[in-house]
Amino acid sequence: MNASTPTGPPAPPPAGPSHGPARAARHGLRVFWAALTTPASTEARPTAPGSTGRGRRWAHLLVLGVVAVLIPVTGTVLTEGYGLPGPIAVSLGFAQAGPLLLAVTRPLQAWWIVIIADTVGALLALFPPPGEEPWPWPATVIVGYLALCLMLALRERRSTLIAVWTVTLVLSLVLGFVAQDRSDGTNVLLTVLSGVVLLLFGAVRERGDAQRRLAEQETISEAERARRTLLEERARIARELHDVVAHHMSVITVQADSAPYRLSGLPPQAREEFGSIAETARESLSEMRRLLGVLRSEEAHGERAPQPGLERLGQLAEATVRAGVPTELSVADGLSGLPQAVQLSVYRIVQEALANVVRHAPGATARVSVTGGGDPGDGGGDGDADGSATASPAGLTVLVVNGRASGPSGPPLETTGTGHGLVGMRERVRLIGGTLDTGHLPDGGFRVAARIPLPPAPPTGKDPAPS
């Protein structure tokens, strides 16, 4: 067998020279017919100006007024000007103008009725003796057809508008050739005016559709941007809390490993239990490191440094002063033993709040207070002018108040800030079960108040003293 012999199915014979153009013509006719017979669906229909409920009511009233004028005028013109019998003239008036009411919601169906009625009227007007009235299209037909084209342009697709104008052009030319002695140019006038109306208002409607789609995309983009910001902040919080949890797990591992050496006389079961605890803690640390690798982004830098706490608030206030914002810091005594996660959240909240002051209120003064031991219901977190704040006995209140901006923006506060502002603060407060209140002050400043619950103190094992 020859190696070049094809093994696949035989190729179809090449089409004849006439097959290609004929097939293209049939396809073009199918597309053309579909454009004339398939109205735009409710989902895909372009949005017309005034498509709201109130706009539709006004459109119906306006079209009703036009129809109420066109029907009697059309009957009178066809009877007196073209010599048609009264019943036929009135019937044509209803057939030519009445469908405009349907065109408000179904313009393509109304166009079929109107174009047939206009053609029948033009043919009937040929039989009476010729007069001085315009032919083939009376003035009433031109007005009604232009109104119909306006509604078509506001409701249908571009392909439908092109097909409608093509039929108008062909029909006007055919009628002009049928009775050249009667034609006085109204066929050309209707073709030109209908084309202008379809083109102009179709372009206006398409521009409105483009603006609407752009607004929808901007809304979607804004929502996606907010969602991405939230996810980035949550990932950053998780990375920061890894250090806190890893520290405690490391302490558990060291204590469990050293317990058999520090405590004498432990039974073998206790030694095995301590070894199991240490092994479980080490496995947990390994899994947390893998999780941290997943959460770490390529842009994350400086995350190996120890996480800040309340002792770093003074440095943060000094950095804010160097950025051009005079800052007063007040931290209540007795807060050094707070949980590490709470201290980290307090620091990040103050950091973001002061960064917002530097960014959005340059030249303003800022007051920061971290207090505990009060009742949040007494208004301590409401942003008083003096910057005072209180918290519940088992809670903490962080308050940052700034005045009105009075100068140009200064340099960034810290290059390691999240840059997510209120989003980051809300996530951190939500993480530890607190609440966040923000808002503008009457003097033009801004207030950030975070209420953070604290876990109850661990039991001491001693019975309370009798009262």
Side-chain angles (χ1 to χ4, degrees), residues 379-389 399-401 437 439-443 446-449 451:
D382 295 337
D384 297 334
D386 58 356
S388 61
L399 182 66
V400 181
V401 179
D437 295 329
H440 293 277
L441 298 176
D443 61 354
F446 197 80
R447 166 188 53 84
V448 174
R451 297 178 178 85

Side-chain angles (χ1 to χ4, degrees), residues 116-380:
I116 294 174
D118 290 348
T119 304
V120 171
L123 294 177
L124 291 178
L126 283 175
F127 294 102
E132 298 181 355
E133 297 296 330
W135 191 90
W137 309 126
T140 53
V141 169
I142 294 177
V143 172
Y145 196 79
L146 293 180
L148 178 60
C149 288
L150 169 61
M151 288 180 275
L152 276 167
L154 295 179
R155 302 287 290 184
E156 293 295 334
R157 298 180 295 262
R158 182 187 300 182
S159 59
T160 299
L161 302 184
I162 295 175
V164 164
W165 185 79
T166 302
V167 171
T168 305
L169 171 65
V170 172
L171 183 59
S172 297
L173 292 179
V174 168
L175 289 176
F177 281 113
V178 167
Q180 298 184 17
D181 56 331
R182 292 288 302 273
S183 178
D184 60 350
T186 55
N187 54 344
V188 178
L189 178 63
L190 179 63
T191 302
V192 173
L193 292 180
S194 62
V196 171
V197 171
L198 292 173
L199 176 63
L200 178 61
F201 288 94
V204 171
R205 186 257 304 156
E206 289 183 354
R207 182 175 182 272
D209 290 342
Q211 291 178 341
R212 175 180 54 84
R213 288 192 294 269
L214 179 60
E216 291 176 354
Q217 289 299 323
E218 289 179 350
T219 302
I220 295 174
S221 299
E222 185 65 28
E224 288 296 327
R225 190 179 303 111
R227 180 174 176 272
R228 183 172 63 252
T229 300
L230 183 61
L231 293 178
E232 290 176 357
E233 184 63 18
R234 288 178 177 176
R236 177 184 173 87
I237 294 173
R239 292 194 300 267
E240 292 178 349
L241 289 181
H242 165 269
D243 294 347
V244 178
V245 179
H247 169 71
H248 295 302
M249 295 297 296
S250 299
V251 172
I252 294 175
T253 303
V254 172
Q255 289 180 340
D257 278 334
S258 62
Y261 304 98
R262 292 182 293 103
L263 304 176
S264 59
L266 287 177
Q269 295 85 354
R271 293 176 179 271
E272 292 180 1
E273 187 71 21
F274 278 118
S276 176
I277 293 174
E279 182 63 26
T280 302
R282 279 190 289 268
E283 292 179 358
S284 299
L285 280 173
S286 299
E287 295 297 331
M288 287 184 61
R289 292 190 185 98
R290 295 191 185 97
L291 175 62
L292 181 63
V294 174
L295 294 177
R296 191 181 301 276
S297 62
E298 296 180 356
E299 296 81 7
H301 302 288
E303 294 182 352
R304 298 183 183 275
Q307 298 299 340
L310 296 183
E311 72 282 354
R312 292 272 301 275
L313 291 179
Q315 301 177 16
L316 191 61
E318 293 176 359
T320 309
V321 173
R322 290 194 300 269
V325 176
T327 304
E328 297 179 6
L329 175 64
S330 172
V331 180
D333 297 331
L335 299 180
S336 57
L338 293 176
Q340 205 168 354
V342 174
Q343 294 194 44
L344 174 60
S345 297
V346 170
Y347 177 87
R348 292 303 186 192
I349 290 170
V350 175
Q351 179 190 31
E352 293 291 353
L354 291 179
N356 285 341
V357 176
V358 175
R359 188 179 302 113
H360 302 296
T365 59
R367 298 183 182 89
V368 180
S369 65
V370 181
T371 57
D375 183 6
D378 62 4

Side-chain angles (χ1 to χ4, degrees), residues 450-463:
R451 297 178 178 85
I452 301 173
L454 298 179
T460 61
K462 299 180 181 179
D463 294 333

Side-chain angles (χ1 to χ4, degrees), residues 237-238 241 341 345 426-434:
I237 294 173
L241 289 181
S345 297
R426 286 196 174 94
E427 277 302 300
R428 293 182 183 277
V429 171
R430 186 188 64 83
L431 174 69
I432 52 183

Side-chain angles (χ1 to χ4, degrees), residues 48-68 97-107 147-148 150-152 154-155:
S51 58
T52 59
R54 185 175 182 181
R56 284 193 295 268
R57 286 193 296 270
W58 279 107
H60 276 95
L61 290 176
L62 181 60
V63 174
L64 180 62
V66 173
V67 170
L100 294 180
L101 293 174
L102 176 65
V104 176
T105 55
R106 295 176 175 84
L148 178 60
L150 169 61
M151 288 180 275
L152 276 167
L154 295 179
R155 302 287 290 184

